[in-house]
Amino acid sequence: MKIATWNVNSLRARMPRVLEWLEATEVDVVLLQETKMANDAFDPAPFTELGYEAAHHGDGQWNGVAILSRCGIEGVESGFGDPQVEAGCRILHATCGGVRVSSVYVPNGRALDDPHYAVKLRWLEHLRTWLDDASAANAPHVIGGDFNIAPSDADVWDPAALVGMTHVSAAERAALAALCGLGYEDVVEHLHPQAGQFSWWDYRGGSFRQNHGMRIDLLLASAPLMGRLIAASVDREARKGEKPSDHAPVVARFSD
DNA sequence: ATGGTTGCGAAGCAA
């Protein structure tokens, strides 16, 4: 079973690339972020034609998350249970082929002195509380998405250039570590602890060409799934070519 | 050298 996460930076703009990628990649479940559309604008037909069922959670032109599955999609839920807590359509859950999956788009934070940074930390705390209450880590569960956090200095091209910026602060990394502390492990870090497995490169300034990237798109797997982990990688090829997303997909394979 | 690019939506903001 292959599970992927991909921030597509507008599903409308990226549809040709996403469909091409689905046809070329034997992936069973895909967690999408930044679809940038409302539910009534989401058309599952192109995915259905490729054998995928789909669930989407979006309310406007910002954020928006989705799940595609060709091994069933049941128990679809959005948010953290309390509609007042999760504004912005940033998390969606479903059970696909016996695995609970959560597609997450963590708020960017913008800058350490920006109010959105506190929003980011608060959102991560809501996620941690929700996961703790759900005790979802006892069963096969993958939390995948754009965390907007580079877990360590090995996950950025130049730690010195990012001192004092968001995505690398101690508080954000502690929040991510707290999530993992509930019983999850970063699958790419587990299999490829060496540096340089970046998943995002800024559109500007030739960042991709210079490999000025960060690893901020993560697949976190619960212990029952870690025992089934076979492979995990970033699909850098998807960042190349015509009209790419600024994020590359992250793909993990688990034994059935 | 606070630049540079993309997406949304139709100017400027968000990333």
Side-chain angles (χ1 to χ4, degrees):
Chain A
M1 183 178 191
K2 284 170 76 170
I3 301 177
T5 183
W6 194 5
N7 179 323
V8 293
N9 186 17
S10 170
L11 186 55
R12 187 177 290 102
R14 214 66 56 214
M15 192 57 108
R17 294 294 305 255
V18 172
L19 295 176
E20 170 191 60
W21 188 81
L22 286 174
E23 290 193 281
T25 311
E26 289 294 310
V27 63
D28 299 296
V29 180
V30 188
L31 314 177
L32 300 175
Q33 299 86 38
E34 278 209 90
T35 62
K36 293 188 176 181
M37 58 174 58
N39 284 339
D40 55 12
F42 177 78
D43 177 14
F47 304 116
T48 306
E49 286 180 22
L50 295 179
Y52 292 88
E53 295 176 275
H56 183 267
H57 177 47
D59 66 357
Q61 72 268 47
W62 306 119
N63 311 329
V65 287
I67 297 171
L68 312 178
S69 172
R70 64 177 192 184
C71 55
I73 188 162
E74 302 170 346
V76 175
E77 297 177 298
S78 61
F80 299 123
D82 180 350
Q84 293 190 318
V85 166
E86 191 257 349
C89 300
R90 293 175 175 274
I91 184 164
L92 180 67
H93 324 275
T95 301
C96 307
V99 176
R100 192 71 176 157
V101 296
S102 300
S103 178
V104 307
Y105 177 43
V106 176
N108 179 286
R110 303 189 188 180
L112 300 194
D113 60 355
D114 190 297
H116 289 85
Y117 178 72
V119 170
K120 179 182 196 174
L121 293 179
R122 200 151 56 235
W123 196 93
L124 287 162
E125 176 61 17
H126 284 309
L127 175 57
R128 191 195 63 78
T129 301
W130 178 84
L131 281 173
D132 200 9
D133 292 346
S135 294
N138 297 324
H141 183 208
V142 168
I143 313 163
D146 177 0
F147 283 78
N148 275 312
I149 302 169
S152 80
D153 280 353
D155 299 308
V156 302
W157 82 96
D158 183 1
L162 296 170
V163 169
M165 314 260 291
T166 183
H167 294 58
V168 299
S169 73
E172 290 163 272
R173 287 174 169 172
L176 177 61
L179 294 178
C180 293
L182 296 174
Y184 296 87
E185 202 165 344
D186 178 333
V187 299
V188 168
E189 197 278 335
H190 180 81
L191 291 179
H192 306 288
Q194 73 274 23
Q197 304 289 310
F198 303 149
S199 65
W200 171 85
W201 299 261
D202 200 302
Y203 282 126
R204 300 167 290 187
S207 295
F208 183 64
R209 181 171 45 77
Q210 300 169 79
N211 200 26
H212 287 181
M214 306 175 76
R215 192 173 72 89
I216 56 176
D217 299 272
L218 311 174
L219 287 170
L220 308 181
S222 65
L225 264 183
M226 285 306 293
R228 295 163 52 185
L229 180 64
I230 295 170
S233 60
V234 178
D235 185 359
R236 274 183 111 260
E237 293 302 308
R239 183 60 176 79
K240 303 175 181 175
E242 286 288 305
K243 286 181 72 69
S245 170
D246 46 353
H247 296 254
V250 182
V251 187
R253 189 155 72 89
F254 303 93
S255 62
D256 293 322

